[in-house]
Amino acid sequence: MASPPSPPLLEIEGLCVSYATAGGTLRALSGVSFRLQPGEALGLAGESGSGKSTVALALLGLLGPEAALSARRLRFGGRDLLSLSPEERRRLRGGAMAIVFQDPFTALNPSLPVGRQVAEPMVFHRGLAESEALAAAIGLLHQVGIPRPEVVARSYPHQLSGGMQQRALIATALAAEPELLILDEPTTALDVTIEAQILDLLESLRRSRRLSILFISHNLGVIHRLCDSVCILYAGEVCETGPTKAVFRDPAHPYTRGLLASLPRLALGSRKRLSPIPGTLPDLEKPPPGCLFHPRCPYGDKRCGEQSPLLSSPGPERSVRCWKAQEIRGVAWEEAAGGNGRPAARGDEPADQAVAPLVIVRDLRKRYRLGGFWDALVWEKPGGQGWPRPAWEPKFLRALDGVSLAIAAGEVLGLVGESGCGKTTLGRTILRLIDPDGGEIVIDGRAIARAPERELRPVRRAAQIVFQNPDSSLNPRKTVGEIIGRPLERFRIASGAGLRRRVGELLDMVRLAPSYASRYPHQLSGGEKQRVGIARALATSPRFLVCDEAVSALDVSVQAAVLNLLEDLRRELGLAFLFITHDLSVVAHLAHRVMVMYRGGICEEGTIAQVLRPPFHPYTEALLSAVPRIDGERARIRLREEGPAPEFAGRGCRFQGRCPRLLGEICRTVAPPVLEPLPGHRILCHHRLETLAAVASPIADEAPPPGA
Amino acid sequence: MILYTLRRLALIVLLLWVMSVLLFAITQVLPGNVARMILGQFATADAIEAVETKLGLKDPLAVQYGRWFSNLIRGDFGQSLIMERPIGPLLSEALGRSAILACLSFVLVASAGILLGVIAAVRKNRPVDHAVSVFSYLGISVPEFFWGIVFILVFARFLGWLPSAGYSPLDEGLWSWFSRLIGPTLTLTFTLIAHISRLTRSSMLETLRSRYVLAARAKGLPERVILFRHALRNALLPTITVLAIDVGWLFGGIVVVETVFAFPGLGRLVAFAIERRDLPLIQATLLVITAIYCLANLAADLLYAALNPRIRYARRTS
Amino acid sequence: MPAGPPEPGARRRLPGNLLAGAALVLVIAAAALVGPWVAPFPYDEFHIRDRLKAPDAVYWFGTDEYGRDVFSRVLAGSRISLFMGVAATAVSLFCGVALGLTAGFFRGRIDEWLMRLMDLLMSFPPVILGLLILAVTPPSLWKTVLAVGIVYIPAIVRVTRSVTLELAQEEFILAARARGENAGYILFREILPNAWPPIIVEASLRVTFAILLGAALSFLGMGAQPPSSDWGLMISEARSYLDQAWWMAVFPGLVMCLTVVGINLLGDGLREWLDPRLRHGGA
Ligand code: SF4
Ligand code: SF4
């Protein structure tokens, strides 16, 4: 950064936080140190359990009485935070130092109008009168890009969309004109297009207000996008700090390298087998001796297991906590980790498209009534005169509005879309966990859309599902063995000793030791639970698997391992997948074909190469340009956020409400035609193909190879 | 909001009607012959016959119900079998006395219960909290009738400060009226207050752990603003629901407490009616109690909606 | 399967109130079990010469108007009270869990109707509902049990229904449906084992309500009948002698308090121990 060394705004040295537990002491943070210059944006990156949110709470003095905190130095704006009285700390909070929390809905008080919540810091820190503060709050809401701020100020949180709630929280944080803005995973709960808008907003605020930012996130792409420098945390320790670009281009610490190697990339051509970090986070009650990363580090040697590494500096403004940082330059993670960088999936293409597909879905429909019986009751005057009469006019949400698809054996069909687009409903309806209102479903030659449950038995065996949430997908009162064994029992595949043997095989298939059969779910880590979920789905030797956000709840390093596993299983067993996710990078990594879904309908589909290159459907284009990535980005298309507008009424294009390339009346009234630039590539839009083909791709075709 | 209130009122009317049918049905199930009950064990068959005809007990059930119900609508509750007096005035007198008792206790329960709960939550794990929790344990673990008796023993028998039981009308002096209310009121309050203070404490603690309270702390607001503006309002929501349920408990308590203190109110009337199988009186008192209970629930729901914007505005947004 | 987490490694310290409550309950349960053998006198034996005697070395809790030993009577009453509490709770548990599971799992119409029915049942204050049920027939112990049991069905239904609703959303239930499991399997093998903890906690608190309600009914003369030594009845009979013999009312009352406090402590302790916030912490 700047050469005249101004005093840092924030200085942390040797910050330790620990909790007393039944089994001893839990070291949440051990010796965290970093500094933040005025006007700088520092990213604090790390997976869950790394202690990144603890840093924020420690700074604010909100850790609560159970936490024991110590630090060699904890200075903010030249003042020693540790020597301040509680009252002085309180004045600092929300004043010079403000925070925006992760989940905007829970961070807003449900029973206070938004405007008052934004105004509060001005009343208590700047001494404004309530009415002045309210007026100022409306101004602030306007500044953070909220349309009709006067109305929003009088609304309650539940009346706003997630993006609007987050903007309101940002406005609250800005209300007392802080010097330091702490953002704790501010976009994690949001859809990617909304996330992009919030990041834009933060960027412009930072410039216009010369804010210093401490940005906490697990998402390296977001940090890359917004931060000047980055600090990587692992198990409560800093392993590496430095300028963002330099660290991501040339990571010095093995953990950083592992993280980057685990990250699925969006860009075409950079696809290769992911190289996950083996093992799990150490137990912070009984940390391993020596380097905390040693149990998982492929570079480690004897000394690493005995002595904690010291910080060294591999380059200007960089520091790394690793004994071997110098020696291992040039030894790529993949090499060290033994993953041979096998070329990815697409080498062996799925079975011939000419063969009848395994799964066929035609014109699937499902709608839900909105609200209860009474909500549908309206009073209307027939012909606009006379007495109003009651009429029952329910509103419907079209969760599935005529969706068709086909999946061949051994093929992965990716289904992407934002929350609420109907992708989960689609996956569940195909398996008849939800009964469709109309349309056809054929799995393995059997039409099941309207078949009664008892006729579904063979299909239940052939088609299975893997769920999103590892905590909720396993019955906490059953052992892993019982969980995996039940499908075998139910379909009379095996029993007794045969069943136990088969359970062992299945565990092996998902790379878990046979001893896991006797464990209970709460004794497993997130990644292990997900593997058990996969093993359960595989127990009946299905031919088709629906993966509903199956890797979304996992940390990157674990996610990579599960993705590799799924890929291997597909290859070994010739499984067909419907892979549902909101994460385009994951789809780009794994899928052969992609469908992009919006509000119950498909707007674009094609092979992965077709969908990631122009011509794009305007929605796909916006999605692609919104994904924050660590391998460069070009154009930026931003979508308007929809208010709680009436649901798509079934006329015109379903994307009309947010389309950045809206053509006009025709989009509102006429359903868009299907454009087919290449066989199998379909786009639903009124634009001419040439126009769509002429847009620049927001993603690079070839990425600079990461990790030197 | 208005529509909602109307709908709820309609539901209450419906419920009361169902109740009237049910109550009527129960009187039919009751074993024993009503006429024999009135006339006693040794009545002659002729006398019974005569009474049955007089009361219309020989008519078909539907006719009997219709007659009873149409009288009911006109506000005529009929005649008490045992006391041989019209039920209407009997009921309104008892209701008046009990209402004073109930209102006093309810206000005490609500205000003191919430206050204690909040104090306990804010001073969690400190002596005050423990004191409140011991206090509430005693409250929920001891039946009203025992407290009543302890109260009488201590204040009337040993200390002699208060009269032990009974009721005296207001025109016989304010103190003599009030002194006889103290015992029943405090006994009722004590058993219910525990319920409310425990609930308020736990919902307050839950709210204090919530994300938005953390966010309010992060804004650097003074503790009192966090407590009263951010936490209390949300913490009170479950308390309100339970307060409505407590109105029901209050009635139960009133039956017992009025018996202990020989207080001639609605509770005594119910107990008397049931004990003596005075059918018209049973029907009338229970119907009144149910009506009051339903109205209390409605009031609670409306208050709940008023404090909770998620309900208040639900209809406008979706 | 009882509620405690059986897994190794998930050991947590038992809360103090759980232990204290369990101890109290054990003592009283033991008294109820061996009472008839250790009691100094039969509970209904008259000692005409020792009427209304204050507590002394022979009659620890004094005697009543017939000269019956209050201590022996209290001891005998513990049986009735505990039986009342447990049996009545068993009644409400049995009906309540069945109805709650049904309502929560099948939703829709059945749920609507069941819950309306429960609302109706709840719109009677408990004591009055109990009185009403008892008024129908001449009072006797098992009828009181039944009445008290019925009164508390709605509470159990509500708890069961709400956990069932919650659990039915869990993905492992969807997984079971993806295997085509029938409703019986899902209800009894997947949902019920997970629904037990909150139901058990609720039930343990209901035991105290049942004891108190049973006593109140007896006190009002609609439960146990003389010469039974039900605590509520004893207190009711003592009312006429408050001026001469305070011990007749105070001792049964105190023992009843101890019992109920014990069960309450036990229930609260269980609640803390089984708190879902702590349940997933063992990994
Ligand atoms: S010190 Fe050793 S174990 Fe730790 S990260 Fe470096 S090489 Fe790996
Ligand atoms: S049809 Fe119109 S609204 Fe729809 S995507 Fe194309 S341009 Fe946008």
Side-chain angles (χ1 to χ4, degrees):
Chain A
M1 281 235 65
S3 40
S6 53
L9 178 68
L10 180 69
E11 261 182 294
I12 300 184
E13 247 183 69
L15 175 64
C16 296
V17 172
S18 59
Y19 295 90
T21 62
T25 336
L26 187 141
R27 287 200 302 159
L29 294 178
S30 30
V32 169
S33 309
F34 60 82
R35 351 176 116 199
L36 180 68
Q37 299 296 331
E40 188 187 352
L42 172 72
L44 208 53
E47 297 181 289
S48 50
S50 62
K52 45 193 194 311
S53 296
T54 313
V55 174
L57 293 181
L59 280 177
L60 291 164
L62 286 176
L63 271 179
E66 315 84 40
L69 178 144
S70 70
R72 281 197 302 284
R73 198 188 257 262
L74 198 59
R75 296 176 74 82
F76 174 72
R79 298 165 80 185
D80 181 8
L81 289 179
L82 293 176
S83 66
L84 294 184
S85 72
E87 183 56 24
E88 286 167 316
R89 285 299 283 278
R90 178 177 78 68
R91 283 182 200 289
L92 218 51
R93 281 204 293 273
M97 198 193 263
I99 187 167
V100 175
F101 285 112
Q102 168 170 3
D103 183 356
F105 186 65
T106 57
L108 286 165
N109 187 331
S111 59
L112 282 182
V114 171
R116 270 186 77 189
Q117 301 194 44
V118 176
E120 269 178 339
M122 297 189 257
V123 175
F124 291 100
H125 291 290
R126 284 162 53 191
L128 297 190
E130 192 86 25
S131 57
E132 290 172 300
L134 261 178
I138 292 175
L140 261 179
L141 287 173
H142 179 70
Q143 276 183 45
V144 296
I146 289 184
R148 297 192 301 155
E150 311 80 23
V151 180
V152 168
R154 272 182 274 118
S155 316
Y156 288 89
H158 73 276
Q159 294 169 300
L160 307 184
S161 66
M164 288 299 148
Q165 289 170 353
Q166 195 57 292
R167 283 172 195 268
L169 274 182
I170 292 174
T172 315
L174 295 177
E177 302 189 334
E179 293 163 63
L180 172 65
L181 184 61
I182 305 174
L183 299 146
D184 187 357
E185 304 264 12
T187 57
T188 306
L190 304 175
D191 275 327
V192 57
T193 54
I194 310 299
E195 169 180 80
Q197 294 170 353
I198 298 285
L199 293 178
D200 288 349
L201 169 70
L202 289 172
E203 221 169 20
S204 77
L205 286 173
R206 187 186 155 202
R207 244 178 288 115
S208 62
R209 298 185 164 231
R210 277 193 50 74
L211 274 174
S212 313
I213 288 182
L214 178 60
F215 194 98
I216 298 171
S217 180
H218 71 286
N219 187 329
L220 299 179
V222 172
I223 287 190
H224 182 262
R225 161 86 207 278
L226 200 73
C227 299
D228 309 311
S229 47
V230 62
C231 169
I232 313 261
L233 282 183
Y234 178 75
E237 263 183 4
V238 176
C239 25
E240 178 163 11
T241 57
T244 315
K245 299 253 152 41
V247 170
F248 286 179
R249 196 181 333 108
D250 176 23
H253 194 282
Y255 176 61
T256 320
R257 293 174 172 215
L259 276 184
L260 291 172
S262 308
L263 213 58
R265 307 295 167 105
L266 188 52
L268 284 167
S270 66
R271 173 163 24 208
K272 52 184 177 194
R273 190 176 170 80
L274 300 173
S275 200
I277 306 175
T280 52
L281 204 67
D283 180 357
L284 291 178
E285 280 184 38
K286 299 179 212 70
C291 175
L292 285 179
F293 192 54
H294 181 244
R296 303 173 72 182
C297 180
Y299 303 96
D301 59 17
K302 198 157 163 293
R303 177 173 59 159
C304 304
E306 289 159 0
Q307 289 167 286
S308 294
L310 302 173
L311 283 176
S312 63
S313 177
E317 297 184 48
R318 294 187 61 177
S319 70
V320 55
R321 185 188 296 276
C322 173
W323 289 123
K324 304 175 72 178
Q326 287 302 323
E327 300 163 41
I328 62 176
R329 306 196 82 167
V331 187
W333 169 273
E334 289 82 354
E335 249 170 83
N340 42 13
R342 260 195 277 165
R346 235 64 16 60
D348 42 353
E349 284 304 318
D352 212 323
Q353 289 288 339
V355 181
L358 186 68
V359 179
I360 304 168
V361 169
R362 266 188 229 106
D363 197 30
L364 204 57
R365 289 171 190 279
K366 179 75 191 174
R367 58 181 199 172
Y368 292 103
R369 198 171 82 203
L370 292 170
F373 175 86
W374 294 94
D375 298 297
L377 204 61
V378 290
W379 296 83
E380 53 185 32
K381 295 179 185 171
Q385 50 197 345
W387 282 90
R389 292 198 195 132
W392 198 64
E393 287 174 2
K395 291 194 183 66
F396 289 98
L397 169 75
R398 297 152 190 264
L400 297 179
D401 198 12
V403 176
S404 305
L405 57 84
I407 311 173
E411 184 184 39
V412 180
L413 175 62
L415 181 64
V416 282
E418 295 178 295
S419 54
C421 74
K423 53 190 194 303
T424 294
T425 309
L426 177 59
R428 294 184 179 175
T429 310
I430 292 179
L431 295 187
R432 276 293 302 277
L433 295 175
I434 296 172
D435 288 333
D437 294 336
E440 284 172 54
I441 308 165
V442 180
I443 295 182
D444 213 3
R446 281 168 225 270
I448 59 163
R450 265 164 295 275
E453 181 67 38
R454 73 195 120 78
E455 283 170 31
L456 290 180
R457 199 175 161 99
V459 176
R460 294 263 179 248
R461 199 176 154 168
Q464 276 294 321
I465 180 165
V466 178
F467 295 99
Q468 165 173 16
N469 187 345
D471 288 319
S472 136
S473 63
L474 307 180
N475 189 334
R477 302 253 158 208
K478 294 188 171 185
T479 63
V480 168
E482 286 165 355
I483 291 169
I484 302 178
R486 176 62 195 172
L488 300 173
E489 235 169 69
R490 158 122 187 99
F491 292 100
R492 305 218 171 75
I493 296 169
S495 61
L499 187 134
R500 274 192 297 282
R501 198 178 56 243
R502 180 78 184 124
V503 167
E505 284 169 20
L506 285 163
L507 281 173
D508 186 54
M509 220 183 255
V510 295
R511 321 284 183 261
L512 290 175
S515 62
Y516 274 73
S518 59
R519 298 200 191 179
Y520 283 90
H522 76 267
Q523 296 167 302
L524 309 180
S525 71
E528 288 168 339
K529 285 182 203 164
Q530 206 57 329
R531 284 162 196 268
V532 173
I534 295 172
R536 172 180 58 195
L538 291 177
T540 57
S541 315
R543 306 190 55 203
F544 171 51
L545 220 48
V546 173
C547 293
D548 189 357
E549 300 273 13
V551 295
S552 310
L554 305 175
D555 276 322
V556 224
S557 63
V558 181
Q559 168 183 319
V562 175
L563 282 177
N564 284 347
L565 172 68
L566 288 173
E567 175 57 30
D568 294 345
L569 290 171
R570 182 192 69 82
R571 227 182 288 209
E572 286 163 29
L573 308 173
L575 287 174
F577 280 92
L578 176 63
F579 199 91
I580 301 169
T581 179
H582 68 281
D583 188 339
L584 278 159
S585 314
V586 168
V587 158
H589 177 78
L590 197 73
H592 302 101
R593 283 192 304 125
V594 194
M595 304 205 315
V596 182
M597 194 164 177
Y598 188 82
R599 288 205 159 183
I602 304 297
C603 36
E604 175 167 3
E605 64 177 304
T607 65
I608 189 79
Q610 290 166 341
V611 173
L612 292 189
R613 286 205 190 92
F616 296 116
H617 185 277
Y619 179 55
T620 318
E621 184 190 1
L623 273 182
L624 286 173
S625 75
V627 181
R629 298 195 316 281
I630 60 166
D631 41 17
E633 71 191 284
R634 291 186 196 155
R636 275 189 202 167
I637 312 278
R638 294 298 179 251
L639 297 183
R640 275 178 293 134
E641 188 174 358
E642 272 175 309
E647 288 300 317
F648 165 63
R651 248 158 44 102
C653 173
R654 63 187 73 249
F655 191 45
Q656 54 182 295
R658 295 172 78 194
C659 183
R661 299 191 185 277
L662 193 73
L663 271 173
E665 203 43 35
I666 187 168
C667 296
R668 300 227 162 74
T669 48
V670 185
V674 179
L675 308 175
E676 194 151 2
L678 286 168
H681 187 195
R682 281 182 281 271
I683 298 174
L684 269 79
C685 182
H686 283 300
H687 272 288
R688 294 205 346 248
L689 204 48
E690 297 80 74
T691 327
L692 295 178
V695 304
S697 170
I699 57 167
D701 245 13
E702 212 73 38
Chain B
M1 204 57 189
I2 294 172
L3 205 71
Y4 174 74
T5 315
L6 287 178
R7 217 166 75 202
R8 286 295 310 265
L9 275 175
L11 269 179
I12 289 180
V13 171
L14 189 74
L15 182 71
L16 284 177
W17 178 74
V18 173
M19 280 290 300
S20 79
V21 174
L22 265 179
L23 283 172
F24 187 77
I26 285 178
T27 62
Q28 299 307 316
V29 184
L30 269 182
N33 186 308
V34 177
R36 185 175 288 283
M37 243 184 260
I38 299 173
L39 299 174
Q41 284 287 304
F42 307 104
T44 61
D46 284 348
I48 289 178
E49 180 83 26
V51 170
E52 279 187 345
T53 324
K54 187 177 127 218
L55 293 179
L57 294 176
K58 293 243 154 116
D59 298 337
L61 283 186
V63 174
Q64 286 191 43
Y65 174 75
R67 188 166 47 223
W68 177 69
F69 189 70
S70 64
N71 283 340
L72 202 63
I73 299 233
R74 276 184 266 116
D76 177 6
F77 287 97
Q79 187 94 8
S80 158
L81 293 183
I82 307 290
M83 291 191 258
E84 300 189 327
R85 282 175 52 194
I87 292 177
L90 214 59
L91 200 60
S92 66
E93 249 173 60
L95 193 62
R97 296 192 200 110
S98 289
I100 296 171
L101 199 58
C103 291
L104 266 180
S105 316
F106 190 74
V107 169
L108 266 178
V109 165
S111 51
I114 290 172
L115 190 71
L116 284 180
V118 171
I119 292 176
V122 174
R123 298 258 172 277
K124 188 186 168 210
N125 287 339
R126 308 259 192 86
V128 193
D129 180 25
H130 294 309
V132 171
S133 109
V134 168
F135 180 72
S136 54
Y137 254 108
L138 284 180
I140 49 170
S141 303
V142 182
E144 302 92 339
F145 58 89
F146 185 58
W147 275 135
I149 283 176
V150 169
F151 189 92
I152 292 174
L153 272 176
V154 172
F155 289 97
R157 186 163 131 64
F158 293 125
L159 298 175
W161 292 353
L162 297 170
S164 68
Y167 173 79
S168 110
L170 195 48
D171 35 85
E172 280 175 27
L174 187 66
W175 171 246
S176 123
W177 171 77
F178 186 68
S179 63
R180 286 178 171 81
L181 278 176
I182 296 178
T185 308
L186 287 186
T187 309
L188 271 178
T189 309
F190 190 51
T191 36
L192 287 177
I193 211 170
H195 207 188
I196 293 300
S197 68
R198 277 165 67 107
L199 185 84
T200 309
R201 175 181 184 268
S202 69
S203 80
M204 190 75 185
L205 282 179
E206 186 129 322
T207 320
L208 286 175
R209 271 197 301 265
S210 73
R211 229 35 208 172
Y212 56 83
V213 167
L214 185 67
R217 290 234 157 84
K219 282 194 222 169
L221 305 183
E223 200 58 24
R224 113 195 98 80
V225 176
I226 291 175
L227 275 187
F228 291 104
R229 187 185 295 176
H230 287 272
L232 186 59
R233 200 186 158 108
N234 292 297
L236 278 186
L237 292 177
T239 309
I240 289 171
T241 320
V242 168
L243 271 174
I245 295 175
D246 275 354
V247 172
W249 287 77
L250 200 62
F251 280 116
I254 278 183
V255 174
V256 175
V257 167
E258 289 186 352
T259 308
V260 173
F261 286 93
F263 188 93
L266 190 60
R268 273 274 294 249
L269 202 59
V270 177
F272 173 83
I274 292 179
E275 202 181 337
R276 305 294 291 275
R277 312 248 158 105
D278 189 339
L279 294 182
L281 198 56
I282 294 182
Q283 290 164 338
T285 45
L286 289 189
L287 216 48
V288 167
I289 286 178
T290 314
I292 297 175
Y293 188 50
C294 291
L295 288 175
N297 267 308
L298 174 66
D301 282 358
L302 294 182
L303 191 59
Y304 191 92
L307 277 182
N308 188 349
R310 261 176 287 186
I311 291 194
R312 194 167 4 132
Y313 290 98
R315 231 148 301 274
R316 265 189 236 169
T317 44
S318 66
Chain C
M1 174 158 88
E7 312 81 12
R11 261 177 292 124
R12 266 180 281 117
R13 238 180 322 144
L14 292 173
N17 44 3
L18 182 70
L19 293 177
L24 259 178
V25 171
L26 269 181
V27 168
I28 288 163
L33 273 181
V34 300
W37 290 280
V38 299
F41 304 95
Y43 76 95
D44 51 357
E45 190 177 87
F46 289 11
H47 305 263
I48 301 298
R49 248 168 280 148
D50 294 335
R51 295 178 57 222
L52 298 175
K53 282 195 82 167
D56 58 24
V58 183
Y59 306 109
W60 296 352
F61 288 178
T63 62
D64 66 5
E65 76 269 32
Y66 301 115
R68 293 176 295 193
D69 178 35
V70 175
F71 178 68
S72 306
R73 287 179 65 72
V74 167
L75 213 54
S78 63
R79 268 192 169 194
I80 304 178
S81 274
L82 285 187
F83 173 74
M84 166 70 85
V86 173
T89 305
V91 170
S92 26
L93 210 54
F94 185 78
C95 306
V97 168
L99 295 178
L101 281 177
T102 315
F105 187 69
F106 294 104
R107 316 267 295 274
R109 252 326 116 71
I110 305 183
D111 186 23
E112 270 297 303
W113 281 106
L114 270 177
M115 291 327 279
R116 287 294 86 76
L117 189 72
M118 291 302 126
D119 283 348
L120 194 72
L121 216 53
M122 293 236 285
S123 61
F124 282 106
V127 170
I128 291 176
L129 185 54
L131 283 177
L132 196 63
I133 295 174
L134 289 176
V136 178
T137 53
S140 78
L141 184 61
W142 68 267
K143 275 180 210 145
T144 317
V145 165
L146 214 59
V148 174
I150 293 174
V151 168
Y152 290 124
I153 287 178
I156 301 281
V157 171
R158 297 220 147 182
V159 175
T160 314
R161 175 176 176 268
S162 78
V163 269
T164 308
L165 276 178
E166 224 167 85
L167 284 168
Q169 303 300 314
E170 298 272 336
E171 289 172 349
F172 65 82
I173 301 297
L174 272 176
R177 292 185 39 214
R179 295 195 296 271
E181 302 279 12
N182 59 31
Y185 180 89
I186 295 182
L187 275 176
F188 294 107
R189 305 296 293 281
E190 303 272 5
I191 291 185
L192 201 53
N194 288 290
W196 269 128
I199 298 177
I200 289 286
V201 169
E202 180 70 25
S204 73
L205 295 178
R206 287 296 145 192
V207 172
T208 67
F209 286 173
I211 291 179
L212 293 180
L213 181 56
L217 290 176
S218 296
F219 177 81
L220 292 173
M222 298 304 267
Q225 298 296 311
S228 158
S229 63
D230 181 276
W231 295 336
L233 186 64
M234 286 174 73
I235 296 176
S236 167
E237 288 167 351
R239 273 200 304 147
S240 329
Y241 302 92
L242 270 191
D243 288 340
Q244 302 110 299
W246 54 268
W247 51 87
M248 275 177 65
V250 169
F251 286 113
L254 277 183
V255 175
M256 171 154 45
C257 299
L258 278 184
T259 313
V260 175
V261 166
I263 300 175
N264 270 331
L265 282 172
L266 189 70
D268 280 357
L270 270 180
R271 191 198 298 271
E272 262 167 53
W273 194 44
L274 300 174
D275 192 317
R277 268 185 292 265
L278 303 168
R279 214 168 45 192
H280 294 293

